[in-house]
């Protein structure tokens, strides 16, 4: 790939003739353990490889993190915030290169790659301000001459397990908050995008070195689900933040709960947009198409379902079919293209199986799907975004398909549409398209959307970092990023100070002796 060698070099990932890339990653010397090779879904070429973490190396990482925590936690939070601020500045410097790597290794469009790095920068800015606002409450005591208050302390080692679809931003959501809270982090990035993980660590390592921050404040480990199992079973990690499928999250949640640890789960979505008779159909089309095909349908917030009122159904359907005919599919680093590839051949197989299931379960294809072939599609990971008419109760519709397949369905009454939207196992993101105040307020009320995110006149994807991100039901209940999500990375402590010469008991209890 043209310019990719320069990108790798800028990010500290020096490619050699054998196709391997090495970088400082706290997991042993290059060549130790088995290699994980990273192939780009853009052109099928080998980008590089990294070492798979061995159990011995994992233990070394945890010990390094434990020692670093002792140094990091007593540093005043605003001083920790200053280090995070400098990381944000370093990301600004390397935004273009890291955005290109995200696009090339994962397959999302270059604009989305840049957007993901911008999310990292934004959360750094947010965390810097947060470092001066880790506040607790002052509480009136029922006992005279007593003062009660609460304060928040660092948890310790935060384990972060992230997915391929956002190979850098989700780590930053977690780690930047955890850092200003006084925690240290051990990150297992996706084995499908290991170079993105390494690039983030390389940039951070320079910032740490310039500030005399111990290396163990941020560690990475690499491998498949077995490495994740080491983390979830490790009592030395009081918090595991895991992003992935609902199936994975149920396993992680059960294991961590079994050792009475904490888990922050960001799992699957099955997101819907309700289109009412009062919708602005132009923005409806734009929002629905980007939500459905952005990142080739591989966002947890991707629009899976469009629930359309009978009176506008045909118009919305025609608009979508027309828009899909104008989509340009190809190299995501070419900014004239709208849609890049799926992450790998397994994702393509799941896409094809889902299309087959639509037909078997009684659905009708409006825009046919399929694997694209020919020049520019040699990787075998490019597919045609498709649209199907379905029933919400179909098994395939109840399932999260991580691919650009959009399901259309009808409704007559808004209460019916809200029920259809909510009647899936997942509860991440939702939206309604309407210019009617009453419709929007009903959708946002306690009897409306049951999702963690509910939008009006925007799509289901593209959340800002200022709000807490996450969902309900099989989405896991976790919250990351903005608002008061920082509390997940700290432990709450209630303190009572008696400044009298007596020791009265709460609830008026008498305990006299002598």
């Amino acid at each position: 790939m043209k310019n990719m060698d320069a990108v790798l070099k800028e990010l500290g990932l020096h490619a050699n003739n054998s196709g391997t890339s090495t970088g400082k990653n706290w997991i042993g010397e290059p060549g130790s353990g088995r290699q994980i090779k990273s192939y780009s879904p853009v052109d099928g070429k080998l980008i590089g490889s990294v070492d798979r973490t061995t159990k011995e190396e994992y233990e070394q990482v945890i010990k390094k993190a434990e020692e670093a925590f002792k140094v990091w936690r007593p540093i005043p939070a605003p001083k920790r915030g200053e280090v995070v601020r400098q990381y944000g500045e370093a990301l600004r410097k390397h935004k273009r290169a890291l955005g290109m790597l995200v696009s090339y290794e994962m397959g999302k469009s270059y604009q989305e790659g840049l957007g993901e790095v911008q999310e990292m920068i934004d959360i750094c800015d947010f965390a810097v301000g947060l470092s001066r606002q880790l506040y607790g409450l002052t509480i009136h005591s029922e006992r005279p001459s007593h003062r009660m208050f609460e304060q928040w302390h660092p948890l310790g080692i935060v384990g972060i397990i992230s997915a391929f679809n956002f190979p850098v931003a989700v780590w930053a959501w977690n780690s930047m908050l955890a850092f200003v809270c006084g925690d240290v982090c051990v990150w297992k990035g996706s084995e499908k995008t290991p170079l993105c993980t390494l690039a983030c660590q390389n940039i951070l390592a320079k910032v740490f070195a310039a500030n005399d921050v111990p290396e163990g404040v941020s560690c990475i480990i690499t491998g498949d689900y077995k490495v994740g199992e080491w983390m979830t079973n490790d009592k030395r990690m009081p918090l595991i933040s895991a992003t992935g499928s609902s199936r994975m999250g149920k396993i992680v949640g059960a294991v961590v709960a079994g050792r009475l640890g904490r888990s922050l789960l960001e799992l699957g979505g099955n997101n819907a947009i309700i289109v009412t008779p009062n919708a602005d159909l132009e923005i409806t089309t734009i929002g629905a198409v980007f939500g459905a095909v952005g990142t080739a349908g591989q966002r947890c917030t991707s629009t899976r379902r469009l629930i359309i009122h009978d009176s506008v159904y045909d118009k919305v359907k025609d608009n979508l079919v027309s828009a899909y005919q104008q989509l340009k599919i190809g190299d995501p680093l070419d900014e004239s293209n709208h849609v890049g590839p799926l992450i790998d051949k397994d994702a393509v197989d799941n896409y094809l199986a889902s299309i087959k299931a639509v037909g078997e379960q009684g659905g009708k294809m409006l825009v046919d799907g399929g694997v694209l072939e020919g020049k520019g599609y040699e990787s075998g990971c490019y597919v045609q975004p498709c649209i199907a008419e379905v029933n919400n109760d179909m098994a395939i519709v109840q399932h999260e398909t991580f691919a650009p397949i959009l399901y259309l369905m009808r409704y007559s009454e808004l209460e019916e549409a809200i029920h259809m939207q909510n009647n899936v196992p997942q509860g991440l993101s939702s939206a309604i398209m309407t210019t009617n105040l009453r419709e929007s307020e009903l959708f946002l009320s306690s009897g409306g959307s049951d999702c963690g995110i509910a939008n009006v006149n925007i799509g289901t994807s593209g959340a800002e970092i200022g709000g807490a991100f996450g969902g309900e039901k099989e989405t896991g209940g976790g919250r990351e990023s903005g608002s008061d999500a920082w509390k997940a990375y700290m432990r709450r402590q209630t303190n009572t100070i008696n400044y009298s010469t007596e020791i009265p008991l709460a609830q008026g209890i008498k305990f006299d002796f002598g």
Side-chain angles (χ1 to χ4, degrees):
M1 169 65 67
K2 185 180 179 181
N3 299 326
M4 194 50 57
D5 284 348
V7 166
L8 295 174
K9 184 176 182 180
E10 178 180 333
L11 298 173
L13 304 169
H14 304 295
N16 60 30
N17 292 331
S18 64
T20 61
S21 297
T22 61
K24 196 170 186 182
N25 54 22
W26 330 127
I27 60 170
E29 295 301 318
S32 65
R34 296 178 58 190
Q35 294 282 304
I36 295 177
K37 296 183 178 180
S38 177
Y39 293 91
S40 172
V42 175
D43 53 21
K45 294 181 179 179
L46 177 66
I47 313 172
S49 58
V50 301
D51 289 344
R52 187 188 305 270
T53 305
T54 66
K55 191 65 166 70
E56 180 182 359
E57 290 163 347
Y58 173 82
E59 289 298 326
Q60 294 172 358
V61 163
I62 299 304
K63 289 179 181 178
K64 185 184 288 286
E66 287 181 317
E67 291 302 313
F69 179 54
K70 297 174 184 178
V71 177
W72 185 242
R73 67 184 177 189
I75 295 175
K79 297 294 184 182
R80 299 191 294 253
E82 168 59 17
V83 176
V84 169
R85 185 196 67 79
Q86 292 179 33
Y87 186 54
E89 290 302 312
L91 289 172
R92 287 178 170 89
K93 178 181 177 181
H94 297 290
K95 179 178 177 179
R96 176 182 171 276
L98 187 54
M100 287 186 69
L101 178 61
V102 168
S103 179
Y104 188 56
E105 188 173 33
M106 185 269 150
K108 64 176 60 177
S109 73
Y110 177 50
Q111 282 299 311
E112 289 182 89
L114 292 175
E116 186 168 348
V117 180
Q118 186 61 48
E119 279 193 65
M120 301 176 73
I121 295 169
D122 292 345
I123 200 65
C124 285
D125 289 349
F126 180 88
V128 173
L130 177 65
S131 69
R132 295 180 181 271
Q133 300 183 74
L134 300 175
Y135 51 81
L137 299 175
T138 298
I139 305 154
H140 286 281
S141 173
E142 67 182 63
R143 291 168 284 184
S145 301
H146 283 60
R147 181 166 68 90
M148 292 178 60
F149 65 98
E150 68 177 25
Q151 56 181 334
W152 295 80
H153 298 295
L155 275 177
I157 302 176
V158 173
I160 302 169
I161 302 172
S162 63
F164 73 86
N165 58 334
F166 280 85
V168 298
V170 171
W171 165 73
W173 287 1
N174 284 273
S175 60
M176 297 306 119
L177 297 191
F179 290 154
V180 298
C181 289
D183 298 317
V184 300
C185 297
V186 174
W187 177 25
K188 179 197 170 302
S190 171
E191 62 269 31
K192 297 182 180 182
T193 52
L195 300 182
C196 286
T197 302
L198 206 53
C200 292
Q201 182 75 355
N202 287 346
I203 298 171
L204 185 58
K206 293 180 180 179
V207 175
F208 279 4
N211 289 272
D212 294 322
V213 174
E215 294 176 347
V217 171
S218 180
C219 303
I220 63 173
I221 54 178
T222 306
D224 57 16
Y225 71 94
K226 293 180 181 179
V227 176
E229 288 179 348
W230 298 342
M231 298 172 70
T232 56
N233 282 285
D234 197 333
K235 293 182 179 180
R236 295 167 293 184
M237 289 188 184
L239 173 65
I240 297 293
S241 177
T243 303
S245 68
S246 295
R247 180 192 61 80
M248 178 274 285
K250 290 177 181 179
I251 296 171
V252 170
V255 172
V256 176
R259 60 176 175 85
L260 298 182
R262 298 190 200 177
S263 57
L264 194 167
L265 302 176
E266 293 291 352
L267 311 176
N270 195 346
N271 316 294
I273 298 177
I274 296 173
V275 184
T276 81
N278 300 293
D280 180 324
L281 297 189
E282 182 176 351
I283 67 171
T284 295
T285 301
I286 296 171
V289 173
F290 175 73
V293 308
T295 322
Q298 296 172 111
R299 293 186 177 210
C300 52
T301 54
S302 290
T303 304
R304 310 287 176 202
R305 299 174 294 143
L306 218 56
I307 304 170
I308 311 167
H309 190 268
D310 288 327
S311 63
V312 293
Y313 183 88
D314 289 338
K315 178 62 175 175
V316 172
K317 179 179 69 174
D318 291 344
N319 288 350
L320 289 170
V321 170
S322 175
Y324 269 54
Q325 291 171 348
Q326 300 173 55
L327 291 175
K328 295 180 180 179
I329 308 165
D331 182 351
L333 290 170
D334 180 345
E335 296 186 64
S336 67
N337 291 324
H338 301 105
V339 186
L342 293 176
I343 185 65
D344 55 24
K345 297 288 185 62
D346 288 341
V348 173
D349 290 342
N350 289 333
Y351 158 86
L352 293 173
S354 297
I355 292 175
K356 181 180 180 181
V358 169
E360 292 173 345
Q361 295 172 23
K364 176 186 176 183
M365 299 304 299
L366 298 174
V367 175
D368 290 329
V371 180
L372 301 179
E373 299 176 345
K375 185 177 181 181
Y377 303 135
E378 290 87 356
S379 71
C381 295
Y382 291 88
V383 300
Q384 176 67 49
C386 57
I387 304 174
E389 287 183 310
V390 298
N391 183 302
N392 195 62
D393 294 329
M394 290 179 182
I396 189 60
V397 179
Q398 293 283 310
H399 172 74
E400 180 191 34
T401 300
F402 233 49
I405 304 175
L406 179 62
Y407 300 123
L408 271 55
M409 56 199 79
R410 297 174 178 265
Y411 80 93
S412 298
E413 301 294 334
L414 183 55
E415 290 79 1
E416 174 193 3
I418 292 173
H419 173 74
M420 291 168 65
Q421 181 212 270
N422 294 344
N423 193 30
V424 293
Q426 309 84 359
L428 178 51
S429 188
S430 59
I432 188 170
M433 295 292 184
T434 180
T435 57
N436 183 290
L437 177 64
R438 291 177 176 175
E439 290 178 337
S440 64
E441 289 298 321
L442 176 60
F443 177 74
L444 299 176
S445 72
S446 61
S449 170
D450 66 358
C451 296
I453 299 170
N455 299 325
V456 177
N457 292 328
I458 61 172
T460 60
S461 62
E464 299 179 30
I465 63 95
F469 180 90
E472 302 302 324
K473 302 187 295 190
E474 289 194 4
T475 301
R479 292 296 186 274
E480 296 171 329
S481 193
S483 186
D484 65 349
W486 61 270
K487 293 180 179 179
Y489 306 93
M490 304 194 81
R491 58 181 178 88
R492 188 196 310 248
Q493 184 181 79
T494 301
N495 307 113
T496 305
I497 299 173
N498 176 9
Y499 56 92
S500 74
T501 58
E502 299 179 351
I503 185 165
L505 302 178
Q507 294 84 48
I509 294 173
K510 301 296 183 181
F511 188 73
D512 298 323
F513 62 91

